[in-house]
Amino acid sequence: MDNIVDRRRRFAEAARGECPDLALLCLLVGAEAATGFDQTVIADALGELDRLADEVARQRTGDGPGAWAQVLAEVLGGRHGFRGLPSDYGRLESSLLHHVLRRRRGLPILLSVVWIEVGRRLGAPVYGVGLPGHFVVGIGEPDAGQVLVDPFNGGRQLAAGDAELLVAGALGSTGTALSAGMFAPAEPLDIVARVLNNIRAWAAARPEHSGVQLWAIELGLLLPHHPAGLRLERAQLLVQRGEFATGAAEMEAYAELVASMDPAIADGIRQRARSARALLN
């Protein structure tokens, strides 16, 4: 899977399918970050999720949200040690599913993907909940007996008020009020977009990894719904990487896109494109 055209085509097809496969999409994100990443890596990772699901099935004793939360925590968080540490935020591997399955460490959202995918294989009502600053897992109906758990903390169940404290801690604020809509199930493509946003943010803080930032942007652009501003971000990054002609052309194309909505912004982008072209001389 070293051919970038094949990788990107497979990612786009998976993202635009009728039922996007969350695990596959996350593994294809990982394919961008590794040399020699092939179908064997994907098969092994999917097989590991299958094995974990089989183990949960053998251990399960009930069908209610609380019972699911307990058995998943016992098997994933307890027996296999899936959880996170503050240091995991500084590692790209923490955003790559095949590494998370190997290391048993990762960011909250990737650990949640493990829980979601194990639960999905068993027909459990498990889904992601994209709280601001900290991703968790919901089990059961959001408006009727929902149980929230935090895979980053080994599957700890969140009592009333714990979610607000988690968000406040993640955002460095106090008195964070969460609306009911924040506890709704996250769609697979929204989860993938958030994973890519995390990777972009990680790389943007490390200029030596601008190549990582670039592929994360380009995968984001392959999702059916993405912010139009990603195109401008890509153009600016290309210029920063010394690809002046390509970056300028991308800026000019984006300026045409926004010209009818905001001529002043379009003119500013065209000026930046001219500046980029001047660097060619």
Side-chain angles (χ1 to χ4, degrees), residues 48 52 75-78 80-84 100-105 111 114-115 151-155:
E48 177 66 6
L52 291 169
V75 174
L76 299 180
H80 289 280
F82 281 98
R83 61 183 60 243
V100 172
L101 287 168
R102 176 180 58 83
R103 296 177 57 238
R104 306 315 205 215
R105 294 286 186 272
L111 292 165
V114 174
W115 278 61
F152 193 74
N153 283 291

Side-chain angles (χ1 to χ4, degrees), residues 3-271:
N3 186 306
I4 187 172
V5 175
D6 291 340
R7 289 201 311 266
R8 300 290 172 85
R9 181 174 61 248
R10 187 172 184 188
F11 181 87
E13 289 173 351
R16 296 172 186 275
E18 185 175 349
C19 297
D21 186 322
L22 176 59
L24 176 60
L25 284 165
C26 288
L27 291 168
L28 290 173
V29 169
E32 295 284 334
T35 57
F37 192 105
D38 58 21
Q39 184 59 40
T40 301
V41 179
I42 292 179
D44 288 347
L46 295 177
E48 177 66 6
L49 290 169
D50 291 341
R51 285 189 289 274
L52 291 169
D54 288 342
E55 195 169 334
V56 170
R58 291 193 299 271
Q59 190 81 9
R60 181 167 65 97
T61 58
D63 289 321
W68 278 115
Q70 181 177 348
V71 69
L72 286 166
E74 288 175 355
V75 174
L76 299 180
R79 188 176 304 163
H80 289 280
F82 281 98
R83 61 183 60 243
L85 298 170
S87 59
D88 290 316
Y89 283 90
R91 301 182 59 148
L92 176 60
E93 293 91 341
S94 300
S95 290
L96 307 176
L97 181 57
H98 65 292
H99 281 296
V100 172
L101 287 168
R102 176 180 58 83
R103 296 177 57 238
R104 306 315 205 215
R105 294 286 186 272
L107 296 189
I109 191 168
L110 267 296
L111 292 165
S112 295
V113 168
V114 174
W115 278 61
I116 294 165
E117 285 297 304
V118 169
R120 181 180 66 81
R121 283 161 168 74
L122 300 173
V126 179
Y127 48 85
V129 175
L131 297 178
H134 196 98
F135 206 92
V136 297
V137 162
I139 305 175
E141 294 296 328
D143 55 355
Q146 180 191 56
V147 174
L148 287 180
V149 296
D150 182 11
F152 193 74
N153 283 291
R156 179 175 71 94
Q157 292 191 38
L158 303 178
D162 287 344
E164 287 83 356
L165 291 174
L166 268 182
V167 172
L171 301 182
S173 60
T174 58
T176 303
L178 302 180
S179 65
M182 293 180 180
F183 296 93
E187 296 295 330
L189 293 184
D190 293 332
I191 296 174
V192 174
R194 187 158 168 169
V195 169
L196 291 171
N197 287 342
N198 287 342
I199 294 172
R200 285 166 51 215
W202 178 89
R206 298 166 175 81
E208 69 275 17
H209 291 293
S210 65
V212 173
Q213 185 180 359
L214 182 59
W215 64 248
I217 293 171
E218 291 177 341
L219 288 184
L221 287 169
L222 293 176
L223 296 176
H225 305 289
H226 57 263
L230 270 185
R231 291 185 59 182
L232 180 59
E233 184 178 340
R234 179 177 183 273
Q236 293 170 329
L237 185 58
L238 288 171
V239 172
Q240 292 170 20
R241 287 169 55 84
E243 300 179 49
F244 303 120
T246 304
E250 290 285 336
M251 286 184 187
E252 291 161 352
Y254 184 76
E256 292 302 313
L257 183 67
V258 302
S260 61
M261 296 175 286
D262 197 321
I265 288 180
D267 287 343
I269 294 171
R270 292 189 186 100
Q271 178 57 49

